[in-house]
Amino acid sequence: MRKFQEILGYQFGNIDLLKNALTHSSYANETHAYYGSNERLEFLGDSVLSIIVSEYLYSTYSELPEGELTKLRASLVCEKTLSVFARKLHIGDYLFLGKGEAQNKGNERSSILADAFEAVLAAIFLDGGMEPARMHVLRFVIPELSERDFDLFKDYKTALQEVIQRNPEERLTYVLTGESGPDHDKRFTVEVHLNSNVIGTGSGRSKKQAEQAAAKQALQLMGIDE
């Protein structure tokens, strides 16, 4: 537990809260752990996470309407994103799993990791209050937003297509030129071609995101998008 607390950057006053947060139901059922599984903490963590993310988005993106804020929040609190955060903390290495779940590599399953991330957040909240919980969440959310928020708010591909359509003989194509990283954290690189010329390059965690980044660069090089 000491090593994991160092990774978290938070020292628990009540270490049982952390143990509870890392206890999967399969382990609790097999061992009859007195503090039970992390399911109740996961329930609380889900709400704490939503409050922290909502408050941050509301204050940071004052120009965005409710619909865009909802879309952005959903992308940050979904299983896929939370499992990425959990892997960065190496939560899987510290989970208490039942024998069957351990044999089936439950510590690598995105659903279990995402649930554990929420449970750990709830444990921090109960142990230290909202401020350390907020700091814990934002250490992941802020870098995540800085990397990918551009393509959530504006469709650069459509904007570029509208520019190119002014000349019907011109043709846009997107070409995947690179792919790297493990399955849970892939990076894609895409070039956008105007006829046979490369007019923009972009990268992202999905092909669509990389295409948006390439289109954005093309627009910037044309002096259309700042």
Side-chain angles (χ1 to χ4, degrees):
M1 291 296 104
R2 180 181 303 172
K3 178 63 175 177
F4 187 55
Q5 288 180 92
E6 291 176 1
I7 295 173
L8 285 176
Y10 179 82
Q11 296 293 315
F12 278 82
N14 181 359
I15 197 65
D16 281 349
L17 281 170
L18 180 57
K19 291 178 180 178
N20 189 186
L22 296 171
T23 300
H24 187 257
S25 58
S26 60
Y27 182 88
N29 291 336
E30 286 183 12
T31 63
H32 305 291
Y34 69 90
Y35 42 71
S37 76
N38 63 4
E39 291 175 347
R40 283 171 52 83
L41 283 175
E42 175 207 337
F43 164 78
L44 176 60
D46 179 72
S47 295
V48 174
L49 177 67
S50 182
I51 290 171
I52 293 171
V53 173
S54 297
E55 181 186 44
Y56 181 77
L57 295 179
Y58 179 83
S59 60
T60 303
Y61 298 96
S62 57
E63 76 284 2
L64 289 182
E66 181 269 342
E68 293 293 339
L69 290 172
T70 298
K71 176 182 175 183
L72 183 52
R73 180 182 61 192
S75 74
L76 291 168
V77 302
C78 67
E79 177 183 300
K80 180 179 178 180
T81 302
L82 295 184
S83 67
V84 171
F85 295 167
R87 288 185 174 96
K88 289 180 179 179
L89 289 170
H90 304 285
I91 281 181
D93 295 341
Y94 299 92
L95 288 175
F96 297 105
L97 300 172
K99 293 179 181 179
E101 197 65 66
Q103 289 175 352
N104 291 326
K105 296 184 177 180
N107 66 333
E108 297 177 9
R109 283 174 49 195
S110 292
S111 59
I112 290 178
L113 292 174
D115 290 348
F117 183 88
E118 290 181 328
V120 168
L121 170 60
I124 293 173
F125 171 72
L126 290 174
D127 190 73
M130 182 58 83
E131 192 53 35
R134 181 182 291 107
M135 291 175 61
H136 176 67
V137 170
L138 295 184
R139 67 184 280 207
F140 296 101
V141 166
I142 292 175
E144 180 75 10
L145 284 168
S146 68
E147 181 173 328
R148 69 191 181 108
D149 61 359
F150 64 85
D151 68 344
L152 289 167
F153 307 145
K154 187 169 181 179
D155 187 349
Y156 293 103
K157 286 182 66 177
T158 297
L160 179 60
Q161 187 66 42
E162 289 173 350
V163 172
I164 301 304
Q165 282 177 346
R166 297 170 189 169
N167 299 301
E169 71 278 5
E170 305 285 3
R171 182 168 175 267
L172 277 178
T173 55
Y174 291 85
V175 180
L176 179 65
T177 60
E179 185 175 333
S180 62
D183 289 341
H184 66 269
D185 194 20
K186 284 283 189 185
R187 299 289 302 183
F188 299 90
T189 301
V190 167
E191 292 178 347
V192 57
H193 293 198
L194 178 59
N195 301 322
S196 59
N197 300 313
V198 178
I199 60 171
T201 302
S203 62
R205 289 183 175 172
S206 68
K207 293 176 184 178
K208 288 184 179 180
Q209 189 181 81
E211 289 173 356
Q212 289 282 0
K216 180 182 181 181
Q217 186 184 83
L219 288 166
Q220 288 175 329
L221 292 174
M222 293 176 183
I224 296 171
D225 185 86
E226 298 299 331

